[in-house]
Amino acid sequence: MLCKNIPARSRLGACLLLTVALAACSRPEPSAPAPATAPAPTSESAPAAAAPAPTSPPATVVAANVQAMGVDQLREGAAKALRENRMYAPAGDNAMEYYLALRDKLPDDAGVSSALTDLMPYTVIAAEQAVAREQFDEAQRLAALIDKADASAPALPRIRQSIVASEQAVAKRSEETAARTKAEAEARVLAQQQAAQQAALTAQAEAEAAARLLAEQEEATRQAAIRREAEQREAAARQAAEASAAAAAAARPVARSLRSISTPAPRFPPDALRSGTSGEVLVEFTVGTDGSVTDARVLRAEPARTFDREAVNAVRRWRFEPVDAPVTTRRTLVFNPGG
């Protein structure tokens, strides 16, 4: 090819040389002889691998405005595109499309065919880069340009397969991302639900604990009230008994000459002695005419029911000088563990 014979020292130099060469190729040249028709494949020939169909091919390869240009306009546009390094982009204003439109109008122009051949490697590289950048629409457009320029280009099946594989990989990645996002959202919702349930359980437990505490306080208040009422009734009964006893004693004749013969001290209860408990008991008793104690009962005891029995037993053993009439009197017995 014409432009393939130009040496390249660097990428920039190659592009400049290609621009000059392709501009030269854009001038009219004698028509090249028609290529020989390729022989039809025989039954023994191995079938070629079918390239995967593009997923979203462009509607048109060459822009309509480019197709509508005349030959001179196309040559001028192609030369300008080469000078400005617009070999395959942007769509509708690049050298590839101008030369493809020229070839449609001048199918036997060898210069146009040579220019397209020289532009092909750059378009292939650009298509592969577009696939790598996941710019699939651009990759499809460039693949369509390559297909129109040379449907048998060796790189074309690879590019189309790469587009399909990359699109599938992107779709799979998108699905995985969507699934992961959904799973994370569901996990967040579940965590929120669990937190709400835990908060509800905690609130319920706190409410139940508060209710139990309130019930215990109310029960304690009720029991205290019951105890106070019982103590008040007991105190009232004791006061009434004391008043009754005092009235009865006042009604009985009192012998002023009551003299004791024997008043043994009460026995100290062992439990009270061990615990070091002290106290006193007020005992009311009646002395018969023979001087013996005929009746004895506790009017008051501190502490209650600790020294009562021993106090009554001791009083019942007391002896007094005979009297003319039974005498009822009271004595306080003191219990002191220290003597």
Side-chain angles (χ1 to χ4, degrees), residues 11 17 46 60 107 137-138 182-183 209 211 233 253 255 283 293 303 312 315 328:
R11 183 176 180 182
L17 290 174
T60 58
D137 289 342
E138 177 66 5
K182 180 181 178 182
R233 286 195 299 270
V283 180
V293 176
V312 171
V315 170
T328 299

Side-chain angles (χ1 to χ4, degrees), residues 128-151:
E128 292 173 342
Q129 291 175 343
V131 173
R133 291 191 298 268
E134 297 180 357
Q135 297 174 347
F136 300 121
D137 289 342
E138 177 66 5
Q140 289 283 10
R141 185 185 71 82
L142 295 172
L145 290 177
I146 296 169
D147 186 24
K148 184 171 179 61
D150 183 4

Side-chain angles (χ1 to χ4, degrees), residues 5-268:
N5 296 327
I6 300 174
R9 296 182 182 275
S10 64
R11 183 176 180 182
L12 178 60
C15 292
L16 292 174
L17 290 174
L18 177 63
T19 300
V20 174
L22 291 178
C25 292
S26 65
R27 293 193 298 271
E29 295 184 2
S31 300
T37 304
T42 63
S43 58
E44 296 179 356
S45 301
T55 55
S56 55
T60 58
V61 178
V62 178
N65 63 308
V66 175
Q67 292 176 345
M69 291 181 180
V71 172
D72 292 337
Q73 287 179 305
L74 291 172
R75 291 186 187 279
E76 182 180 352
K80 183 178 180 182
L82 289 173
R83 287 195 303 271
E84 296 177 358
N85 202 27
R86 290 182 283 106
M87 290 178 283
Y88 46 79
D93 188 14
N94 59 80
M96 277 291 287
E97 290 190 44
Y98 289 130
Y99 279 117
L100 287 172
L102 272 172
R103 192 180 66 178
D104 289 342
K105 297 179 184 298
L106 303 172
D108 297 329
D109 191 319
V112 173
S113 298
S114 177
L116 287 172
T117 301
D118 290 335
L119 286 170
M120 184 73 75
Y122 297 96
T123 308
V124 169
I125 293 173
E128 292 173 342
Q129 291 175 343
V131 173
R133 291 191 298 268
E134 297 180 357
Q135 297 174 347
F136 300 121
D137 289 342
E138 177 66 5
Q140 289 283 10
R141 185 185 71 82
L142 295 172
L145 290 177
I146 296 169
D147 186 24
K148 184 171 179 61
D150 183 4
S152 62
L156 188 58
R158 183 183 72 250
I159 292 173
R160 285 178 171 168
Q161 290 173 353
S162 178
I163 292 173
V164 172
S166 297
E167 285 181 333
Q168 291 175 348
V170 169
K172 182 179 180 181
R173 187 170 67 242
S174 299
E175 291 175 358
E176 291 174 349
T177 300
R180 184 168 58 253
T181 301
K182 180 181 178 182
E184 291 173 353
E186 291 175 349
R188 285 194 299 271
V189 171
L190 180 60
Q192 292 172 354
Q193 291 175 346
Q194 291 175 344
Q197 291 175 354
Q198 185 60 41
L201 291 175
T202 301
Q204 181 180 359
E206 292 176 351
E208 292 175 353
R212 284 195 301 271
L213 179 60
L214 180 60
E216 291 172 357
Q217 292 174 345
E218 292 176 348
E219 179 63 18
T221 302
R222 189 178 70 84
Q223 292 295 335
I226 292 173
R227 286 194 298 272
R228 283 195 301 272
E229 291 177 0
E231 291 172 356
Q232 290 172 357
R233 286 195 299 270
E234 184 178 351
R238 187 167 56 248
Q239 291 174 357
E242 291 176 356
S244 176
R252 296 191 190 99
V254 178
R256 300 183 182 276
S257 59
L258 188 62
R259 296 179 181 180
S260 61
I261 297 174
S262 174
T263 55
R267 189 176 70 89
F268 210 100

